[in-house]
Amino acid sequence: MKISYNWLKQFIKTDWTPEQTSELLTDLGLEVEGLDAFQSVKGGLEGVVVGEVLTCEKHPNADKLKITTVNIGEDSPLQIVCGAPNVAAGQKVPVATIGTTLYTEEGEAWTIKKGKIRGEVSFGMICAEDELGLGKSHDGILVLDDAIAVGTPVADLYDVENDQVFEIGLTPNRADAMSHYGTARDLKAGLAQKEINVELITPSVSAFNVGSRILKIDVDVKDKELAPRYCGLTISGLKVKESPAWLQNRLKAIGLSPINNIVDATNYVLHDLGQPLHAFDANKIEGNKIEVKTLDAGTKFITLDGVERELHADDLMICDAEKPMCIAGVFGGAHSGVTEGTTSIFLESAYFNPVSVRKTAKRHALNTDASFRFERGIDPNITEYALKRAALLIQEIAGGEITSDIIDFYPKKINDFEVRLSFENAKKLIGEEIPKEIIKRILSSLEIKVNNVTETGLGLTVPAYRNDVQREADIIEEILRVYGYNNVKTTKKLNASIATTSRFEDYKIQNIIGNQLASQGFYEILSNSLTTPNYVKLSEQLQDEHNITMLNPLSGDLSVLRQSLLFSGLESISFNINRKRGDLKFFEFGKTYHGYGDKREEFKHLSLFVTGNQSAEKWHDQNKKSDFFLMKGLTIAVLERLGISRIKETPISNDLFSEGLTISLGKNKLVDFGIVKKPILKHFDISQEVIYADFNWDAILDVVKHNNIKFKAIPKFQPVRRDFALLLDDNVTFEAIYKLAKQSEKQILKDVNLFDVYQGKNLPEGKKSYAVSFTLLDENKTLNDKQIDKIMKKLQTTFETQLGAELR
C-alpha cells in the first residue's frame, strides 16, 4: 500500500521528517518497506532556467535548423542550435543547460551535453513542453511570459510537487489503516505516546447542500445481508474533463493514473478515507431505479475491461430496472460508467458483506482497490460522510449541483464491540506491568472508549471499523504496539527447558534420508499442496470424489488438495526442462489428502524423481541415462539406511507407471517405483523418460520404530565366490533364481548377484544367459573345496529342476 507523505500531512500537521515518520509507522505495526521520492515533473526541472533569445539566424548547413544566442543570466550568452519552427529573437524560453537530465514520456533519462549539430556547436537546448514533462505538445518550443526575469529557475514558475511515498506492507487484519486517514489516525496515537499531541484533521462536509431535487433515483436493496448499508445521491450539470494538477499529482504519487475528474474524485476519496465509491452515468440507469440483488447463475455481464463474465448465483450485482450495471464492491460494467458525454451521475457509497465480496472477486479472478478494502471490512459508519466528501469534491472540480437527497439504506446498525480487559492478563501477555494511566491514554488515542474502570480491569467499546479487535488479546496487542515493543524490558534471567525426544522422531529420520539423497546429487523441492482438480483425470486410481475442495480457492488451478505428489514434481521437472536443465534428481517430503465421504485423511510420502543423464557430461566418461535400475538402487539404499531388509518385490499395479515394482514388508506396502507413463508426461510437455518412486512414509516410520538393528563383528574367515553362467527361458526372472538359491542354502550362502545378461546371437530362440555370482561364508571356519562343491552342485540341481536351467 502506498501512502503519500504530503497527503498524510493534510490530516496531521507534523514537522517530523519522512524518515522519522517511517520508523514510527513501522513500530506501530504499519511496516514501511520502502520510501521513494516522487516529483510531479520527473527530474524537478533542475538545471532548466529562463533564457532570452537574443539572435536567431538560419543554420548554414540545414534548412530546418536555426542558430540562436540565448542569455541565461551568465557572463556571456550561449549558442544553441534549435529546430523549433516558432523560435524567434526576443522570446523568453526554457533552456536546459549542459548536464541537465531530462526524461522521455516512458521515463528514460537522457542528459544534455555540449555537441555539434551539422558543424555548429550547441551549448544546451531550448525546450518544448513535452520535453520538460509539462504537457504533451511538441509543435514548438515553450514560449514564456516576457515579464519573467532571465536566469529564473523554471521550477519556480510551475507548481512542481516533491513528495515522499511510503510503501507499507499492510497485514490483512489492518483494514482500518487502508487509507491516508487511517494511517494518520495510527500516527497520531504513536506521537501521543511520545508526548507529542497533534490534532487529527477531519475534512469538513458542512458545505454539503442539496441544490434541487430534480433527479431522484430510487434504490431497492433486495439482499440486506450482502449489502447492510447502501447510500447514494445524484449530481447534475457537471462537466467531465481532465482533473486539476493537484489531484493528478496526489493520484500519481501513489501509482494511479488519472482518468477524468469524476473517476479521479472517487479514487481520491477511496485512498483518502478508505471508502470505495462508484459513479454511474445517471442517463444510462433505466427506469431511474437501482436494484441491489443477486441474479441467476450463468447470467452474462461485460465488465469495464471488456471481458464477458458468467455470473454466479451468489454474486451481488448493482442493477437498474432492466440490466446489471456493476459487480457490487468489485468491478464496474462496460456500459454504465462515466464518459466524456456524461452530465449527471448517481454516486454510490456502500458497505458490502466482506465474505461475499471476497468470494466474488476470487471467482472472477479480479483484484481491485475497491474489493481489496471491502473484503477486509471497511468502516460501516463512514459511508454517508464519505459520500458527502466525494460530492463536494466533484462539485469543486466538475461543477454541477446535488439534485437529490441522500438515500441511506441502513436497516440494522452495525454495532461497536464490547470488550473487557484484565490488567493481570495484560501483564502476563506483555511480560511487564504498564501503568494503568498509560493503558487508558493509549486506548483513548486509538478511539477505543473506556466505559468503566475497576481495580482489576477496564470495560471498553471498540469502534466498528476495528473488526480485528474483538478479544482481550487483541486489545493487549493494540496497547503493546503503541506502547512500543522496544520499550518492553528483557529480564536478566533466561529460563529454558530441554525436551527429550525419541531418535525415531519424524524430522530426525527425514534429516537422515535427506542428507543421504543430497549426497547422491538430489535437490529437495517444496511444492504447493493445493493443485488443480484436473490431475485426477490422468489416473483411474485417483478419484474426483476423493478431492478435498477449498471453499474459497485462490484460483481454479489451486482449488483442491493434492492426492499424489507425482504431479507437483512433474510441474517442477517441466519448469526446469523448459530452462535447459534436463538432468534432474529431485526429492520431496510431503502429504497427500483424501476425502472418503465425511471422513478426511492425510498421508505422508517421500517422492523421488530422476530424469536425464545420471551425471554431468565428462570428456573421459560416456554419459549414461537415468533408468529403472538406478531408481531401484536408490530406493533400496534408502530402505537399507533405515535398517529395513527382508523386503518383498512384486510387479506394480499402479496405473501411473508403465512398468515398475512394489516393495513390501509383511503386509505393509513401503514403496511404489517405476517409469511414469508417457501420456502423463505428455500432459506436462515432458518428452524424456522420468522414473518416480513413492514411499509410504507413515508405514516406513512405523517399521523403523519397531525395527531392532543388531551390530556384529566382521567375520574373521574369508568369503568364497563362485559363478554360474545359466541358460534360461526368457520368462525366468532373477528374483526366482535369488529365492531358490536362498531356500536351498540358508546358512552358508550370503549373497546372490546378477552381473551379466546376454540375449541374441548364438543362443536358442526364447532363451537368455544370466551370469550369476554366489558368495559363500561360514562364520565359524574356513570352507574347503568339498563343502563348496557340494553347495554349488545342490544349487545347480535346484536350478535345473525348478527353472529348467542349463550350465553354459
Side-chain angles (χ1 to χ4, degrees), residues 573-607:
I573 289 173
S574 177
F575 181 88
N576 279 267
I577 289 174
N578 289 339
R579 286 152 184 80
K580 305 301 180 184
R581 294 174 60 89
D583 303 331
L584 304 169
K585 292 180 181 176
F586 290 156
F587 76 94
E588 178 179 16
F589 289 99
K591 291 183 177 181
T592 60
Y593 307 86
H594 311 267
Y596 302 109
D598 294 333
K599 188 179 180 182
R600 304 284 186 268
E601 291 191 3
E602 59 183 64
F603 305 104
K604 195 154 194 176
H605 296 258
L606 164 63
S607 61

Short mmCIF file of all heavy atoms in Angstrom, two decimals, residues 573-607:
data_model
loop_
_atom_site.label_atom_id
_atom_site.label_comp_id
_atom_site.label_asym_id
_atom_site.label_seq_id
_atom_site.Cartn_x
_atom_site.Cartn_y
_atom_site.Cartn_z
N ILE A 573 9.75 -30.54 -12.76
CA ILE A 573 10.62 -31.08 -13.81
C ILE A 573 10.38 -30.33 -15.11
O ILE A 573 11.33 -29.93 -15.81
CB ILE A 573 10.37 -32.59 -13.98
CG1 ILE A 573 10.94 -33.34 -12.76
CG2 ILE A 573 10.99 -33.11 -15.27
CD1 ILE A 573 10.61 -34.81 -12.73
N SER A 574 9.12 -30.12 -15.46
CA SER A 574 8.80 -29.39 -16.69
C SER A 574 9.36 -27.97 -16.65
O SER A 574 9.92 -27.48 -17.63
CB SER A 574 7.28 -29.35 -16.87
OG SER A 574 6.93 -28.60 -18.01
N PHE A 575 9.24 -27.32 -15.50
CA PHE A 575 9.76 -25.95 -15.33
C PHE A 575 11.26 -25.92 -15.60
O PHE A 575 11.77 -25.02 -16.28
CB PHE A 575 9.45 -25.48 -13.92
CG PHE A 575 9.91 -24.08 -13.61
CD1 PHE A 575 9.09 -23.00 -13.86
CD2 PHE A 575 11.16 -23.85 -13.05
CE1 PHE A 575 9.50 -21.71 -13.58
CE2 PHE A 575 11.58 -22.56 -12.77
CZ PHE A 575 10.75 -21.49 -13.03
N ASN A 576 11.98 -26.91 -15.06
CA ASN A 576 13.43 -26.93 -15.23
C ASN A 576 13.84 -27.30 -16.65
O ASN A 576 14.78 -26.72 -17.21
CB ASN A 576 14.05 -27.92 -14.23
CG ASN A 576 14.22 -27.32 -12.85
OD1 ASN A 576 15.26 -26.78 -12.52
ND2 ASN A 576 13.16 -27.41 -12.04
N ILE A 577 13.14 -28.27 -17.25
CA ILE A 577 13.47 -28.67 -18.61
C ILE A 577 13.27 -27.50 -19.57
O ILE A 577 14.07 -27.29 -20.49
CB ILE A 577 12.61 -29.88 -19.04
CG1 ILE A 577 13.06 -31.14 -18.27
CG2 ILE A 577 12.70 -30.13 -20.54
CD1 ILE A 577 12.20 -32.36 -18.51
N ASN A 578 12.23 -26.72 -19.36
CA ASN A 578 11.97 -25.55 -20.21
C ASN A 578 13.05 -24.49 -20.08
O ASN A 578 13.13 -23.58 -20.90
CB ASN A 578 10.61 -24.94 -19.87
CG ASN A 578 9.45 -25.82 -20.33
OD1 ASN A 578 9.63 -26.67 -21.21
ND2 ASN A 578 8.30 -25.65 -19.71
N ARG A 579 13.88 -24.62 -19.05
CA ARG A 579 15.00 -23.69 -18.85
C ARG A 579 16.34 -24.39 -19.05
O ARG A 579 17.36 -24.01 -18.46
CB ARG A 579 14.89 -23.06 -17.46
CG ARG A 579 13.79 -22.01 -17.41
CD ARG A 579 13.17 -21.85 -16.05
NE ARG A 579 12.05 -20.90 -16.11
CZ ARG A 579 10.83 -21.21 -16.54
NH1 ARG A 579 10.57 -22.45 -16.93
NH2 ARG A 579 9.89 -20.30 -16.58
N LYS A 580 16.31 -25.43 -19.91
CA LYS A 580 17.52 -26.14 -20.35
C LYS A 580 18.25 -26.83 -19.19
O LYS A 580 19.47 -26.95 -19.19
CB LYS A 580 18.48 -25.18 -21.06
CG LYS A 580 17.87 -24.43 -22.24
CD LYS A 580 17.34 -25.37 -23.30
CE LYS A 580 16.74 -24.60 -24.48
NZ LYS A 580 16.12 -25.51 -25.48
N ARG A 581 17.48 -27.32 -18.21
CA ARG A 581 18.06 -28.13 -17.13
C ARG A 581 17.35 -29.47 -17.15
O ARG A 581 16.31 -29.64 -16.51
CB ARG A 581 17.88 -27.42 -15.78
CG ARG A 581 18.66 -26.12 -15.66
CD ARG A 581 18.33 -25.40 -14.35
NE ARG A 581 18.64 -26.23 -13.19
CZ ARG A 581 19.82 -26.24 -12.59
NH1 ARG A 581 20.81 -25.50 -13.06
NH2 ARG A 581 20.03 -27.00 -11.54
N GLY A 582 17.93 -30.41 -17.93
CA GLY A 582 17.24 -31.67 -18.16
C GLY A 582 17.74 -32.84 -17.35
O GLY A 582 17.08 -33.88 -17.28
N ASP A 583 18.89 -32.71 -16.70
CA ASP A 583 19.44 -33.80 -15.89
C ASP A 583 19.09 -33.52 -14.43
O ASP A 583 19.73 -32.70 -13.76
CB ASP A 583 20.96 -33.90 -16.07
CG ASP A 583 21.35 -34.08 -17.54
OD1 ASP A 583 20.54 -34.67 -18.28
OD2 ASP A 583 22.44 -33.64 -17.93
N LEU A 584 18.05 -34.19 -13.94
CA LEU A 584 17.46 -33.80 -12.67
C LEU A 584 17.32 -34.96 -11.71
O LEU A 584 17.02 -36.09 -12.12
CB LEU A 584 16.08 -33.18 -12.90
CG LEU A 584 16.01 -31.99 -13.87
CD1 LEU A 584 14.56 -31.68 -14.20
CD2 LEU A 584 16.69 -30.78 -13.27
N LYS A 585 17.53 -34.66 -10.43
CA LYS A 585 17.23 -35.58 -9.35
C LYS A 585 16.55 -34.76 -8.25
O LYS A 585 17.17 -33.88 -7.66
CB LYS A 585 18.51 -36.22 -8.80
CG LYS A 585 19.21 -37.18 -9.75
CD LYS A 585 20.47 -37.75 -9.11
CE LYS A 585 21.21 -38.68 -10.04
NZ LYS A 585 22.48 -39.17 -9.46
N PHE A 586 15.29 -35.04 -8.01
CA PHE A 586 14.51 -34.30 -7.01
C PHE A 586 13.98 -35.25 -5.94
O PHE A 586 13.69 -36.43 -6.22
CB PHE A 586 13.30 -33.61 -7.65
CG PHE A 586 13.63 -32.45 -8.55
CD1 PHE A 586 12.75 -32.06 -9.54
CD2 PHE A 586 14.81 -31.73 -8.39
CE1 PHE A 586 13.03 -30.99 -10.37
CE2 PHE A 586 15.11 -30.67 -9.21
CZ PHE A 586 14.21 -30.29 -10.19
N PHE A 587 13.83 -34.72 -4.73
CA PHE A 587 13.08 -35.46 -3.71
C PHE A 587 12.22 -34.48 -2.93
O PHE A 587 12.52 -33.29 -2.84
CB PHE A 587 14.00 -36.26 -2.77
CG PHE A 587 14.74 -35.44 -1.74
CD1 PHE A 587 14.24 -35.27 -0.46
CD2 PHE A 587 15.95 -34.84 -2.05
CE1 PHE A 587 14.92 -34.53 0.50
CE2 PHE A 587 16.65 -34.11 -1.10
CZ PHE A 587 16.14 -33.95 0.18
N GLU A 588 11.12 -34.99 -2.39
CA GLU A 588 10.20 -34.15 -1.63
C GLU A 588 9.53 -34.96 -0.54
O GLU A 588 9.04 -36.07 -0.78
CB GLU A 588 9.14 -33.54 -2.54
CG GLU A 588 8.12 -32.70 -1.77
CD GLU A 588 7.06 -32.04 -2.64
OE1 GLU A 588 6.92 -32.46 -3.81
OE2 GLU A 588 6.39 -31.12 -2.17
N PHE A 589 9.51 -34.39 0.67
CA PHE A 589 8.67 -34.91 1.74
C PHE A 589 7.38 -34.09 1.75
O PHE A 589 7.43 -32.85 1.81
CB PHE A 589 9.36 -34.77 3.10
CG PHE A 589 10.53 -35.69 3.30
CD1 PHE A 589 11.84 -35.25 3.11
CD2 PHE A 589 10.33 -37.01 3.68
CE1 PHE A 589 12.91 -36.08 3.29
CE2 PHE A 589 11.41 -37.87 3.87
CZ PHE A 589 12.70 -37.40 3.67
N GLY A 590 6.26 -34.75 1.67
CA GLY A 590 5.00 -34.02 1.63
C GLY A 590 3.82 -34.91 1.95
O GLY A 590 3.97 -36.12 2.12
N LYS A 591 2.65 -34.29 1.98
CA LYS A 591 1.44 -35.02 2.34
C LYS A 591 0.47 -35.06 1.16
O LYS A 591 0.45 -34.16 0.33
CB LYS A 591 0.76 -34.38 3.55
CG LYS A 591 1.53 -34.54 4.86
CD LYS A 591 0.76 -33.95 6.03
CE LYS A 591 1.50 -34.18 7.34
NZ LYS A 591 0.75 -33.63 8.50
N THR A 592 -0.33 -36.12 1.14
CA THR A 592 -1.47 -36.19 0.23
C THR A 592 -2.74 -36.20 1.07
O THR A 592 -2.73 -36.58 2.25
CB THR A 592 -1.41 -37.45 -0.65
OG1 THR A 592 -1.45 -38.62 0.19
CG2 THR A 592 -0.14 -37.46 -1.49
N TYR A 593 -3.83 -35.76 0.44
CA TYR A 593 -5.08 -35.54 1.17
C TYR A 593 -6.23 -36.21 0.43
O TYR A 593 -6.34 -36.08 -0.80
CB TYR A 593 -5.33 -34.05 1.32
CG TYR A 593 -4.17 -33.30 1.92
CD1 TYR A 593 -3.13 -32.84 1.10
CD2 TYR A 593 -4.08 -33.08 3.28
CE1 TYR A 593 -2.04 -32.17 1.63
CE2 TYR A 593 -3.00 -32.39 3.83
CZ TYR A 593 -1.97 -31.95 2.99
OH TYR A 593 -0.90 -31.29 3.53
N HIS A 594 -7.09 -36.88 1.18
CA HIS A 594 -8.14 -37.69 0.56
C HIS A 594 -9.44 -37.54 1.35
O HIS A 594 -9.44 -37.59 2.59
CB HIS A 594 -7.72 -39.16 0.51
CG HIS A 594 -6.34 -39.36 -0.04
ND1 HIS A 594 -6.09 -39.62 -1.36
CD2 HIS A 594 -5.12 -39.31 0.58
CE1 HIS A 594 -4.78 -39.74 -1.54
NE2 HIS A 594 -4.18 -39.55 -0.39
N GLY A 595 -10.52 -37.38 0.63
CA GLY A 595 -11.83 -37.32 1.25
C GLY A 595 -12.60 -38.59 0.96
O GLY A 595 -12.82 -38.95 -0.19
N TYR A 596 -13.02 -39.28 2.01
CA TYR A 596 -13.81 -40.51 1.88
C TYR A 596 -15.16 -40.27 2.55
O TYR A 596 -15.32 -40.52 3.74
CB TYR A 596 -13.08 -41.69 2.51
CG TYR A 596 -11.70 -41.94 1.94
CD1 TYR A 596 -10.56 -41.67 2.68
CD2 TYR A 596 -11.55 -42.43 0.64
CE1 TYR A 596 -9.29 -41.89 2.15
CE2 TYR A 596 -10.29 -42.65 0.10
CZ TYR A 596 -9.18 -42.37 0.87
OH TYR A 596 -7.93 -42.59 0.33
N GLY A 597 -16.09 -39.74 1.77
CA GLY A 597 -17.38 -39.38 2.35
C GLY A 597 -17.20 -38.22 3.32
O GLY A 597 -16.69 -37.16 2.96
N ASP A 598 -17.61 -38.42 4.57
CA ASP A 598 -17.47 -37.38 5.59
C ASP A 598 -16.10 -37.43 6.26
O ASP A 598 -15.78 -36.58 7.10
CB ASP A 598 -18.55 -37.53 6.66
CG ASP A 598 -19.94 -37.27 6.09
OD1 ASP A 598 -20.03 -36.51 5.11
OD2 ASP A 598 -20.91 -37.84 6.63
N LYS A 599 -15.31 -38.42 5.91
CA LYS A 599 -14.01 -38.63 6.55
C LYS A 599 -12.90 -37.98 5.73
O LYS A 599 -12.90 -38.06 4.51
CB LYS A 599 -13.76 -40.12 6.72
CG LYS A 599 -12.54 -40.47 7.56
CD LYS A 599 -12.41 -41.98 7.69
CE LYS A 599 -11.18 -42.35 8.51
NZ LYS A 599 -11.01 -43.83 8.59
N ARG A 600 -11.97 -37.35 6.41
CA ARG A 600 -10.81 -36.74 5.75
C ARG A 600 -9.54 -37.42 6.26
O ARG A 600 -9.38 -37.59 7.48
CB ARG A 600 -10.73 -35.24 6.05
CG ARG A 600 -11.97 -34.47 5.66
CD ARG A 600 -12.05 -34.26 4.15
NE ARG A 600 -13.16 -33.40 3.77
CZ ARG A 600 -14.35 -33.84 3.45
NH1 ARG A 600 -14.60 -35.14 3.49
NH2 ARG A 600 -15.31 -33.01 3.09
N GLU A 601 -8.66 -37.80 5.36
CA GLU A 601 -7.42 -38.44 5.75
C GLU A 601 -6.24 -37.82 5.01
O GLU A 601 -6.38 -37.38 3.86
CB GLU A 601 -7.47 -39.96 5.46
CG GLU A 601 -8.44 -40.70 6.35
CD GLU A 601 -8.29 -42.21 6.23
OE1 GLU A 601 -7.39 -42.65 5.49
OE2 GLU A 601 -9.08 -42.93 6.86
N GLU A 602 -5.09 -37.80 5.68
CA GLU A 602 -3.87 -37.33 5.04
C GLU A 602 -2.74 -38.31 5.31
O GLU A 602 -2.68 -38.92 6.39
CB GLU A 602 -3.51 -35.93 5.51
CG GLU A 602 -3.28 -35.76 6.99
CD GLU A 602 -2.99 -34.31 7.38
OE1 GLU A 602 -3.88 -33.46 7.20
OE2 GLU A 602 -1.86 -34.04 7.84
N PHE A 603 -1.89 -38.48 4.33
CA PHE A 603 -0.79 -39.44 4.42
C PHE A 603 0.51 -38.76 4.02
O PHE A 603 0.53 -37.95 3.08
CB PHE A 603 -1.04 -40.64 3.51
CG PHE A 603 -2.36 -41.33 3.76
CD1 PHE A 603 -3.43 -41.14 2.89
CD2 PHE A 603 -2.55 -42.14 4.86
CE1 PHE A 603 -4.65 -41.75 3.10
CE2 PHE A 603 -3.77 -42.76 5.09
CZ PHE A 603 -4.82 -42.57 4.21
N LYS A 604 1.58 -39.14 4.71
CA LYS A 604 2.88 -38.55 4.41
C LYS A 604 3.64 -39.44 3.45
O LYS A 604 3.59 -40.68 3.55
CB LYS A 604 3.69 -38.34 5.69
CG LYS A 604 4.87 -37.41 5.49
CD LYS A 604 5.26 -36.74 6.79
CE LYS A 604 6.19 -35.58 6.51
NZ LYS A 604 6.51 -34.84 7.74
N HIS A 605 4.35 -38.81 2.51
CA HIS A 605 5.09 -39.53 1.49
C HIS A 605 6.48 -38.93 1.32
O HIS A 605 6.72 -37.76 1.65
CB HIS A 605 4.37 -39.44 0.13
CG HIS A 605 3.03 -40.08 0.10
ND1 HIS A 605 2.80 -41.32 -0.46
CD2 HIS A 605 1.82 -39.67 0.57
CE1 HIS A 605 1.52 -41.64 -0.35
NE2 HIS A 605 0.90 -40.64 0.28
N LEU A 606 7.37 -39.75 0.79
CA LEU A 606 8.64 -39.29 0.24
C LEU A 606 8.63 -39.64 -1.23
O LEU A 606 8.40 -40.80 -1.60
CB LEU A 606 9.82 -39.96 0.94
CG LEU A 606 11.18 -39.86 0.22
CD1 LEU A 606 11.64 -38.41 0.11
CD2 LEU A 606 12.25 -40.70 0.91
N SER A 607 8.84 -38.64 -2.07
CA SER A 607 8.86 -38.91 -3.51
C SER A 607 10.26 -38.65 -4.06
O SER A 607 10.93 -37.69 -3.65
CB SER A 607 7.83 -38.03 -4.24
OG SER A 607 8.13 -36.66 -4.06
#
